[in-house]
Amino acid sequence: MTKQQKSEIIDSLTGEFKNSLAIVVCDYKGLTHRELETLRKEAKANDTKVQVAKNTLVTVAVKNAELGDVELTGTNIFLWSDDQISACKVADKFATSNKEKFVIKSGIIEGKIADFATVNAFAKLPSREQLLGMLAATWMAPVTNFTIGLDALRKKKEEEAA
């Protein structure tokens, strides 16, 4: 790989990492090409990006993106997304189905180094859409209860009038 190719990869990863809120580092040793393609498809469906890159290039990209110092060893695959939950969910789901071959090592969530437990905790959270739905339901609860009460009052008045 030439210096220019390395520089292009570093620039690309730096830009991606600056715009992402979660980066998950996983060990993928022993996965077949077909299994990696399954991971890539799952990630794409969840707006998460996946890339295998040299540890030294990723370390430089993380430093350039001002996300701290990361020590990377072994075979690593990197997943990142624009929100904190998607990349963690994809990694956790794939790690569950491929226990021996795919292991979550660590991550960077909102610019802070995160261990396996933190990444796993984020994976258990509801997705952004689910959280927005829960928030909307909470906001709509008083209005819903008020309309139910008004309807019950209307029915009671109709029964009294009849």
Side-chain angles (χ1 to χ4, degrees), residues 9-29:
I9 291 171
I10 290 171
D11 292 342
S12 171
L13 288 175
T14 299
E16 293 284 345
F17 290 167
K18 278 185 180 179
N19 297 328
S20 67
L21 292 176
I23 303 166
V24 181
V25 181
C26 302
D27 184 356
Y28 71 102
K29 195 172 197 172

Side-chain angles (χ1 to χ4, degrees), residues 7-24 43 47-53 57-58 60-67 78-84 87 108 110-111:
S7 177
E8 289 171 3
I9 291 171
I10 290 171
D11 292 342
S12 171
L13 288 175
T14 299
E16 293 284 345
F17 290 167
K18 278 185 180 179
N19 297 328
S20 67
L21 292 176
I23 303 166
V24 181
D47 295 325
T48 300
K49 296 181 182 174
V50 178
Q51 186 167 342
V52 175
L57 299 180
V58 173
V60 171
V62 168
K63 283 182 184 177
N64 289 349
E66 299 173 0
L67 297 174
F78 305 92
L79 292 87
W80 66 91
S81 63
D82 294 339
D83 63 62
Q84 301 91 334
I108 301 172
E110 293 184 352

Side-chain angles (χ1 to χ4, degrees), residues 68-122:
D69 292 328
V70 179
E71 291 185 29
L72 301 170
T73 57
T75 55
N76 294 313
I77 190 165
F78 305 92
L79 292 87
W80 66 91
S81 63
D82 294 339
D83 63 62
Q84 301 91 334
I85 298 172
S86 297
C88 297
K89 278 189 175 294
V90 170
D92 184 61
K93 183 178 178 184
F94 196 75
T96 303
S97 63
N98 296 284
K99 292 182 193 247
E100 298 297 319
K101 301 176 187 175
F102 189 83
V103 179
I104 298 172
K105 289 182 172 180
S106 64
I108 301 172
I109 299 176
E110 293 184 352
K112 295 180 182 161
I113 305 297
D115 60 352
F116 167 75
T118 306
V119 173
N120 196 27
F122 271 88

